[in-house]
Amino acid sequence: MNLLPELLSSQYSLVYNILSFTIASMGASFVFFLMARQQVGVTYRPALLFSALVVGIACYHYFRIFDSFESAYALADGVYKPSGKPFNDAYRYVDWMLTVPLLLVELVAVLHLAKDVSRKMLVKLIIAAVLMIGLGYIGEGELTNMTTRAIWGTLSSIPFVYILYVLWVELGTQVKTQSETVRGLLKVTRVVLVATWGVYPITYLLPMLGIDIQSSVVAIQVGYALADVAAKCGYGLLIFFIARAKSEEDGSLPVA
Ligand SMILES: *C/C=C(C)/C=C/C=C(C)/C=C/C1=C(C)CCCC1(C)C
């Protein structure tokens, strides 16, 4: 929970509109992923169910973030002043605590690797994800003491780098058995994952770059929201393409 700065009407509207856009994207993706399950083989349906859960959970949390943001401000004399009600940042971190492990499960599920290989990889990835988010949360509330923010951010980056390593190197060796098409799609997915997940630590870093606290508050909300749309909706769509390609290959594509 932060001490909120006053916002210009344009700054307030930007956050308001981006949060609203995110709710719409998550809601639409939820319906899409649920329907898309019928278009892939039975083996790959759990992956799409996980995609739907991710955006469903995020949709709910964005409603709460939106409400919390709206009630944290009151318009007075053309500027948005803190209403005295706190803006609850915890929704975002609770959301990540649930959705980041699910995104990892989604990826491993669509690959349909040997059970013990998937299980071992997921245990490592999920423990690292929980540490990354937990450590980041402690620093996130800190908008004035940049040393504190930097320390927690650095600690959180250690498990983050480990996750990227596991996905890039370990998963890389596992997917050698997949077909050419699937490997191509996986390469794109991996790049998308690293590119979108990379936006989070950059966004976290913004308040440390000497920008004013108003811009920091706006940039954090906009950065995280857009990253969430790419990392949950966009990435889910790629998982769907992989599931389609794999169903086609193993002849399990449902005939409409
Ligand atoms: C759908 C939500 C996703 C994919 C969230 C991902 C979040 C991260 C990769 C966050 C990473 C962070 C660091 C690496 C350091 C600074 C603190 C965090 C938590 C923003």
Side-chain angles (χ1 to χ4, degrees), residues 54 93 95-96 99-100 103 132-133 135-137 140 152-154 156-157 160 197-198 200-201 204 224 227-228 231-232:
V54 165
Y93 275 77
D95 180 76
W96 293 351
T99 56
V100 171
L103 285 168
M132 171 183 86
I133 296 161
L135 293 166
Y137 180 63
E140 188 70 78
W152 292 109
T154 309
S156 161
S157 300
F160 175 65
W197 288 34
Y200 296 88
Y204 179 94
Y224 286 155
D228 275 352
K232 293 176 169 66

Side-chain angles (χ1 to χ4, degrees), residues 92 105 128 135 203 217 227 256:
R92 200 177 274 296
V105 172
L135 293 166
T203 304
V217 166

Side-chain angles (χ1 to χ4, degrees), residues 11 41 148 196 211 229:
Q11 292 174 316
T148 311
T196 55
I211 57 175
V229 172

Side-chain angles (χ1 to χ4, degrees), residues 24-125:
S25 307
M26 296 296 173
S29 302
F30 178 71
V31 176
F32 177 82
F33 293 142
L34 277 187
M35 309 276 288
R37 284 175 67 233
Q38 307 309 317
Q39 296 179 36
V40 301
V42 178
T43 323
Y44 310 106
R45 289 187 188 165
L48 287 181
L49 184 61
F50 290 126
S51 303
L53 285 175
V54 165
V55 290
I57 292 169
C59 189
Y60 161 75
H61 281 120
Y62 269 96
F63 268 113
R64 306 308 305 255
I65 295 170
F66 185 88
D67 272 349
S68 177
F69 181 75
E70 212 182 6
S71 66
Y73 280 101
L75 184 62
D77 309 322
V79 290
Y80 282 88
K81 300 216 161 91
S83 68
K85 283 194 190 155
F87 176 46
N88 189 350
D89 236 356
Y91 287 132
R92 200 177 274 296
Y93 275 77
V94 171
D95 180 76
W96 293 351
M97 229 17 140
L98 298 168
T99 56
V100 171
L102 283 170
L103 285 168
L104 295 165
V105 172
E106 192 179 319
L107 180 63
V108 174
V110 83
L111 293 177
H112 204 244
L113 304 171
K115 271 214 168 63
D116 58 323
V117 176
S118 324
R119 197 178 310 124
K120 268 192 208 136
M121 203 175 318
L122 275 177
V123 168
K124 291 191 279 193
L125 287 170

